[in-house]
Amino acid sequence: RGKVAIVTGGAQGIGRGIVETLSAAGAHVVIADRNRAEAETVAAVLQRQGRESLAIETDVADEAAVRELVRRVVEQYQRIDILVNNAGIFPMRPLRELDAVTWDRTLGVNLRGAYLCTRFAAEQMISGGAGGRIINISTINTAKTYVGMAHYDASKGGLNAFTKAFCAQTNLGVILFPVPLWGFERLHPAGFAQELLKRLVEDVPNIVAIKAEGGYPTIAGFIQTYKMLGDRVVVTFPLESDGLPLASVIPLQFMGTSNYEYYGPMVPRIFTLMREGQFDKAMELYWQIHPARLTNINTMAMIAGSNFIHRMIWKYQGWLNGFNGGPLRQPTMRLVDRQMKVLRQGLVAAGLEVTVDPDKAFFVGRNPA
């Protein structure tokens, strides 16, 4: 609440979703985008909801434009707390048709842009004395490449390398995420032995937080981790069904994981109310979204045994609330009509907003390449 966040490429798609999520959590969000009209439209929507927002036309590949972005944000808010390097382009071109202009522009936005924004925002974060958070949006393409995406894959691979180098040179924090999906129960019933987590915290000095899901569906792994390491690092439980009530009795500093998007702005809103001590109001909203929560739990039941997260379902859930949508690249699990109908009805039963677009539009996406 009250943090100042810059989101590049924040006028549409994933960027707009990030803008809306940060705004719902109480941040003052700066929408930096080449499309001035779209950025101003998003800012106006937030402002009508009583939220602080600023749109700034920015080409992140242009050093002068990025310097001006940072100057205006500091002038307006006196600090920068969060930077999300989300701006990215991916004009598909087979390698034999890939011209140097497209190559240079793609790396200019996706890699040079992240470098420039990180460099100048980090200077302000450091000089302000309070530090900050920098989030770089990458892609699975760095592990598996696809035809027509050589320039995009190269830019994101470079972004990953830059991120590692930046972390190494600035001692940025690392979040440890022991998730019970990898079949390590043969080594320890919780998937990850508590002594292993303790050793990692001792051996890796820049681990600052643990998203403790070990032993799920019980909360025992979280409780043990919290009692053992809660005085040394931030320990949180990211699954909202249990994490939100836990936040009323344990001072969780943050919660975060994928598919909160299914509930629109509700999870950060409930979490904020819990942290402010407004338990009754928080639980009223908690139970409001419970029909959608049960739908989500039942739909994702295939995780048990398969140890495979259905990310097409997660992406569809976000699309129902205004995110971009569009298919994931193969291999992935299939998304079928009955799953989509049930998930849509779950939101209706919870009284949450849901797109009126037909489900077939999900497979195209709101911003197709």
Side-chain angles (χ1 to χ4, degrees), residues 182-196:
W182 315 134
F184 294 157
E185 287 76 14
R186 66 188 182 279
L187 303 178
H188 188 277
F192 289 83
Q194 297 298 315
E195 285 303 314
L196 173 60

Side-chain angles (χ1 to χ4, degrees), residues 176-219:
L176 186 61
F177 191 9
V179 59
L181 288 175
W182 315 134
F184 294 157
E185 287 76 14
R186 66 188 182 279
L187 303 178
H188 188 277
F192 289 83
Q194 297 298 315
E195 285 303 314
L196 173 60
L197 301 184
K198 183 179 179 181
R199 177 181 171 185
L200 285 167
V201 169
E202 291 173 348
D203 292 349
V204 184
N206 56 332
I207 289 179
V208 297
I210 303 175
K211 293 169 62 173
E213 286 188 21
Y216 193 76
T218 76
I219 61 171

Side-chain angles (χ1 to χ4, degrees), residues 53-66:
S53 183
L54 176 66
I56 300 178
E57 182 179 357
T58 308
D59 179 353
V60 296
D62 183 337
E63 180 174 345
V66 174

Side-chain angles (χ1 to χ4, degrees), residues 50-98:
R51 303 174 188 175
E52 178 68 27
S53 183
L54 176 66
I56 300 178
E57 182 179 357
T58 308
D59 179 353
V60 296
D62 183 337
E63 180 174 345
V66 174
R67 285 181 180 272
E68 177 63 10
L69 165 68
V70 171
R71 186 197 68 77
R72 287 186 59 185
V73 174
V74 174
E75 180 181 67
Q76 178 79 12
Y77 298 112
Q78 289 74 56
R79 68 182 194 277
I80 299 172
D81 300 301
I82 302 167
L83 167 67
V84 183
N85 282 314
N86 166 76
I89 59 174
F90 47 97
M92 296 187 69
R93 299 281 194 283
L95 194 57
R96 65 183 180 277
E97 300 174 9
L98 179 58

Side-chain angles (χ1 to χ4, degrees), residues 295-316:
T295 299
N296 177 60
I297 291 171
N298 292 332
T299 306
M300 296 297 289
M302 83 292 292
I303 290 179
S306 70
N307 288 342
F308 193 97
I309 295 174
H310 199 320
R311 294 188 183 275
M312 277 285 280
I313 282 182
W314 279 7
K315 197 169 188 184
Y316 173 74

